[in-house]
Coordinates of all heavy atoms in Angstrom, one line a residue:
I1 N 18.4 -33.5 12.8 CA 18.9 -32.1 12.7 C 20.0 -31.8 13.7 O 21.0 -31.2 13.4 CB 17.7 -31.1 12.8 CG1 16.8 -31.3 11.6 CG2 18.2 -29.7 12.9 CD1 15.5 -30.5 11.7
Y2 N 19.8 -32.3 14.9 CA 20.8 -32.0 16.0 C 22.1 -32.7 15.6 O 23.2 -32.0 15.8 CB 20.3 -32.6 17.3 CG 21.3 -32.6 18.4 CD1 21.7 -31.5 19.1 CD2 22.1 -33.8 18.6 CE1 22.7 -31.5 20.1 CE2 23.1 -33.8 19.6 CZ 23.4 -32.6 20.3 OH 24.4 -32.6 21.2
A3 N 22.1 -33.9 15.2 CA 23.3 -34.6 14.8 C 24.0 -33.9 13.7 O 25.3 -33.7 13.7 CB 23.0 -36.1 14.4
M4 N 23.3 -33.4 12.7 CA 23.9 -32.7 11.6 C 24.6 -31.4 12.0 O 25.7 -31.0 11.6 CB 22.9 -32.5 10.5 CG 22.4 -33.7 9.8 SD 23.7 -34.6 8.9 CE 23.4 -36.2 9.4
A5 N 23.8 -30.7 12.9 CA 24.3 -29.4 13.4 C 25.6 -29.6 14.3 O 26.5 -28.8 14.2 CB 23.3 -28.7 14.2
M6 N 25.6 -30.7 15.0 CA 26.7 -31.0 15.9 C 28.0 -31.3 15.0 O 29.1 -30.9 15.3 CB 26.4 -32.2 16.8 CG 27.4 -32.4 17.9 SD 27.3 -31.0 19.1 CE 28.8 -31.3 20.0
R7 N 27.8 -32.1 14.0 CA 28.9 -32.5 13.1 C 29.5 -31.2 12.4 O 30.7 -31.0 12.4 CB 28.4 -33.4 12.1 CG 28.0 -34.8 12.6 CD 27.3 -35.6 11.5 NE 26.8 -36.8 12.1 CZ 26.1 -37.7 11.4 NH1 25.9 -37.5 10.1 NH2 25.6 -38.8 11.9
L8 N 28.6 -30.4 12.0 CA 29.0 -29.1 11.3 C 29.7 -28.2 12.2 O 30.8 -27.6 11.9 CB 27.8 -28.4 10.7 CG 28.1 -27.3 9.7 CD1 28.8 -27.8 8.5 CD2 26.8 -26.6 9.3
A9 N 29.2 -28.1 13.4 CA 29.9 -27.2 14.4 C 31.3 -27.7 14.8 O 32.2 -26.9 14.9 CB 29.0 -27.1 15.7
L10 N 31.4 -29.0 15.0 CA 32.7 -29.5 15.3 C 33.8 -29.3 14.2 O 34.9 -28.8 14.5 CB 32.6 -31.0 15.7 CG 32.0 -31.4 17.0 CD1 31.9 -32.9 17.1 CD2 32.8 -30.9 18.1
I11 N 33.4 -29.6 13.0 CA 34.4 -29.5 11.9 C 34.7 -28.1 11.6 O 35.9 -27.7 11.5 CB 33.8 -30.3 10.7 CG1 33.7 -31.8 11.0 CG2 34.7 -30.0 9.5 CD1 33.0 -32.5 9.9
L12 N 33.7 -27.2 11.5 CA 33.9 -25.8 11.2 C 34.7 -25.2 12.4 O 35.5 -24.3 12.1 CB 32.6 -25.1 11.0 CG 31.8 -25.5 9.7 CD1 30.6 -24.7 9.6 CD2 32.7 -25.3 8.5
G13 N 34.4 -25.5 13.6 CA 35.1 -25.0 14.7 C 36.6 -25.3 14.7 O 37.5 -24.5 14.9
F14 N 36.9 -26.6 14.4 CA 38.3 -27.0 14.3 C 39.0 -26.3 13.2 O 40.1 -25.8 13.3 CB 38.4 -28.5 14.2 CG 39.8 -29.1 14.1 CD1 40.6 -29.0 15.3 CD2 40.3 -29.7 13.0 CE1 41.9 -29.5 15.3 CE2 41.5 -30.2 13.0 CZ 42.3 -30.1 14.1
V15 N 38.4 -26.2 12.0 CA 39.0 -25.6 10.8 C 39.2 -24.1 11.1 O 40.2 -23.5 10.7 CB 38.2 -25.9 9.6 CG1 38.7 -25.1 8.4 CG2 38.2 -27.4 9.3
A16 N 38.2 -23.5 11.7 CA 38.2 -22.0 12.0 C 39.3 -21.7 12.9 O 40.0 -20.7 12.7 CB 36.9 -21.6 12.5
G17 N 39.5 -22.5 13.9 CA 40.6 -22.3 14.9 C 42.0 -22.3 14.2 O 42.9 -21.5 14.5
I18 N 42.2 -23.3 13.4 CA 43.5 -23.4 12.6 C 43.6 -22.3 11.6 O 44.7 -21.7 11.5 CB 43.6 -24.8 11.9 CG1 43.6 -25.9 12.9 CG2 44.8 -24.8 11.0 CD1 43.6 -27.3 12.3
Y19 N 42.5 -21.9 11.0 CA 42.6 -20.8 10.0 C 43.0 -19.5 10.7 O 43.8 -18.7 10.2 CB 41.2 -20.6 9.4 CG 41.1 -19.5 8.4 CD1 41.7 -19.6 7.1 CD2 40.5 -18.2 8.7 CE1 41.6 -18.6 6.2 CE2 40.4 -17.2 7.8 CZ 41.0 -17.4 6.6 OH 40.9 -16.3 5.7
V20 N 42.5 -19.2 11.9 CA 42.8 -18.0 12.7 C 44.3 -18.0 13.0 O 45.0 -17.0 12.9 CB 41.9 -17.9 13.9 CG1 42.5 -16.8 14.8 CG2 40.5 -17.6 13.5
K21 N 44.8 -19.2 13.5 CA 46.2 -19.3 13.8 C 47.1 -19.0 12.6 O 48.1 -18.3 12.7 CB 46.5 -20.7 14.4 CG 45.9 -21.0 15.7 CD 46.6 -20.2 16.8 CE 46.1 -20.6 18.2 NZ 46.7 -19.8 19.3
L22 N 46.8 -19.6 11.5 CA 47.6 -19.4 10.3 C 47.6 -18.0 9.8 O 48.6 -17.5 9.2 CB 47.2 -20.4 9.2 CG 47.4 -21.9 9.5 CD1 46.8 -22.7 8.4 CD2 48.9 -22.2 9.6
N23 N 46.5 -17.3 9.9 CA 46.4 -16.0 9.3 C 47.0 -14.9 10.2 O 47.2 -13.8 9.7 CB 44.9 -15.6 9.1 CG 44.4 -16.2 7.7 OD1 45.2 -16.8 7.0 ND2 43.2 -16.0 7.4
D24 N 47.2 -15.2 11.5 CA 47.8 -14.2 12.3 C 49.3 -14.5 12.4 O 49.7 -15.5 12.9 CB 47.2 -14.3 13.7 CG 47.7 -13.2 14.7 OD1 48.8 -13.2 15.2 OD2 46.9 -12.2 14.8
P25 N 50.2 -13.5 12.0 CA 51.6 -13.8 11.9 C 52.2 -14.1 13.3 O 53.0 -15.0 13.4 CB 52.2 -12.5 11.4 CG 51.0 -11.8 10.6 CD 49.8 -12.2 11.4
Q26 N 51.7 -13.4 14.3 CA 52.3 -13.6 15.7 C 51.9 -15.0 16.2 O 52.8 -15.7 16.7 CB 51.8 -12.5 16.6 CG 52.4 -12.6 18.0 CD 51.9 -11.5 18.9 OE1 51.1 -10.7 18.5 NE2 52.3 -11.5 20.2

């Protein structure tokens, strides 16, 4: 369970950071 949660956190964190950058015009 820990390994699965760690994988999910890493991938979602990276994608979420890029998504925030793309959605903010500035």
Side-chain angles (χ1 to χ4, degrees):
I1 293 172
Y2 169 82
M4 293 297 133
M6 193 65 192
R7 296 171 187 178
L8 191 63
L10 284 177
I11 296 174
L12 290 182
F14 183 64
V15 174
I18 296 177
Y19 178 78
V20 170
K21 290 289 186 185
L22 293 175
N23 277 358
D24 188 282
Q26 184 180 0

